[in-house]
Amino acid sequence: MEFERADQRKKIERFIQKMPSLSTTVGKVLEICSRTDASPNELNKVISLDPVLTGQVLKLINSAYYSLMNKITSLTRAITMLGMNTVKNMALSTAIIQSVAGSNKSKALPTTRFWVHSIGVGVSAKLLAIARGVPIQEREEFFIAGLLHDIGKVPFGDEYSQVLSIAGQEQRPLVDVEREFLGIDHQEVGELIAAKWKLSRAMTSCIGYHHDIELAEEDDRSLVAIVALANLYVNIHDIGFAGDLFPEYANADMLLSFAGLEWSDFTAISSKVEEEIQKAQIFLQV
């Protein structure tokens, strides 16, 4: 390779340092929702102070993604209907997508196809969560975790094309080639970004361990496993592109076990994935 691994790590760290932080409003939203005694009224007050974010959240709520019967014009009503966790994740996802919009350094990962892949993983993770019987108020966490799982690939530069080429020629997992030739993989890069944005431990685990689930905290493994399964599904079906040309089939049984799912659950989502991806495109348009 034409570049030194140490230099590559420094470049990535500098890139992350220059990435915009999440807005003060989103930071307050995350802080409020992390408290067990937080009230919907507190969340409403914070988001309402940011007209742009309020508009984005209401646009998402009234999109086909949520398929509500009646139009919602009040943030208070939205929080009451969908719950604090769902509204928090709406605010978080829109803020993060906007923060990284146009930040993708590498021509190796076309932006549109990268986000189609990411949305596909988010949608698939949510469908698998439904199959698992996850309560409705917690399902959006799976979508957001899937949406953000590959965020660590954003800082890679054009040298990433060489990594993709080697992984393809040698038919090796992309994460292994990243470690060998870059000295860092997209999971570790993603953890650095998650730390900058002060994301939750569970969300950080999905970003940092979706290829190494056994390293995740035990309490987070079910969520991480479902995201990893969703990633496997999307790679098998060539939905978008994030560089993984050779899905890691060998891990499937282990992932299903950690996720508490069966093969039939994994295959059953195929009838809904495409439709849900189309609905979820709204997250890229707010």
Side-chain angles (χ1 to χ4, degrees):
M1 302 291 279
E2 298 177 356
F3 47 89
E4 296 292 334
R5 298 199 306 176
D7 289 343
Q8 179 64 16
R9 176 181 282 271
K10 288 178 182 177
K11 285 181 185 177
I12 289 170
E13 290 174 349
R14 285 196 297 269
F15 181 89
I16 293 172
Q17 287 173 357
K18 293 178 181 177
M19 289 178 74
S21 299
L22 298 182
S23 70
T24 302
T25 301
V26 174
K28 288 181 179 177
V29 167
L30 295 179
E31 180 184 343
I32 288 170
C33 292
S34 68
R35 294 189 354 242
T36 55
D37 63 342
S39 69
N41 188 47
E42 285 182 274
L43 182 60
N44 178 59
K45 283 182 178 179
V46 169
I47 296 179
S48 295
L49 292 174
D50 188 329
V52 174
L53 184 58
T54 299
Q56 291 168 339
V57 169
L58 289 175
K59 183 176 180 180
L60 283 174
I61 288 170
N62 290 300
S63 71
Y65 180 74
Y66 287 101
S67 301
L68 300 180
M69 294 292 291
N70 300 307
K71 185 174 182 179
I72 305 299
T73 58
S74 160
L75 191 57
T76 303
R77 176 72 172 152
I79 296 171
T80 301
M81 287 189 66
L82 298 178
M84 292 176 61
N85 193 51
T86 296
V87 174
K88 174 204 74 176
N89 283 322
M90 284 183 191
L92 178 62
S93 61
T94 54
I96 287 178
I97 289 173
Q98 289 184 350
S99 291
V100 301
S103 296
N104 195 344
K105 292 172 60 183
S106 176
K107 296 176 183 176
L109 292 178
T111 301
T112 300
R113 294 186 67 198
F114 172 78
W115 283 112
V116 169
H117 167 86
S118 300
I119 285 176
V121 175
V123 162
S124 300
K126 185 176 179 179
L127 290 171
L128 289 170
I130 292 171
R132 169 75 190 278
V134 171
I136 190 168
Q137 65 270 23
E138 297 175 15
R139 293 173 187 172
E140 210 61 29
E141 200 83 16
F142 290 79
F143 172 76
I144 302 302
L147 181 70
L148 301 180
H149 78 288
D150 268 347
I151 201 75
K153 292 177 180 176
V154 170
F156 289 136
D158 287 337
E159 63 275 0
Y160 200 52
S161 296
Q162 295 173 274
V163 172
L164 296 181
S165 177
I166 291 169
Q169 291 170 8
E170 300 182 3
Q171 299 188 16
R172 294 169 57 194
L174 184 58
V175 69
D176 291 344
V177 181
E178 290 171 352
R179 290 166 183 159
E180 181 176 346
F181 291 97
L182 301 179
I184 192 169
D185 64 54
H186 67 272
Q187 296 181 125
E188 186 178 350
V189 176
E191 284 187 284
L192 294 174
I193 296 173
K196 179 183 178 72
W197 288 337
K198 299 179 181 178
L199 301 185
S200 69
R201 189 194 73 189
M203 197 71 67
T204 301
S205 289
C206 289
I207 293 170
Y209 300 119
H210 57 277
H211 293 291
D212 298 293
I213 187 172
E214 67 281 359
L215 300 180
E217 294 280 350
E218 188 172 350
D219 290 346
D220 299 331
R221 284 181 188 165
S222 177
L223 172 60
V224 179
I226 285 178
V227 169
L229 281 169
N231 188 47
L232 177 62
Y233 179 91
V234 168
N235 286 330
I236 289 172
H237 292 276
D238 290 322
I239 299 172
F241 179 69
D244 297 287
L245 297 173
F246 299 97
E248 299 174 57
Y249 294 99
N251 295 334
D253 287 335
M254 176 189 70
L255 295 176
L256 286 167
S257 177
F258 276 126
L261 294 167
E262 304 290 339
W263 267 110
S264 57
D265 299 315
F266 182 75
T267 57
I269 67 172
S270 61
S271 62
K272 300 178 181 177
V273 168
E274 287 298 333
E275 179 184 355
E276 293 301 316
I277 286 175
Q278 292 305 313
K279 292 179 182 178
Q281 294 288 335
I282 186 67
F283 280 85
L284 303 182
Q285 300 166 11
V286 294

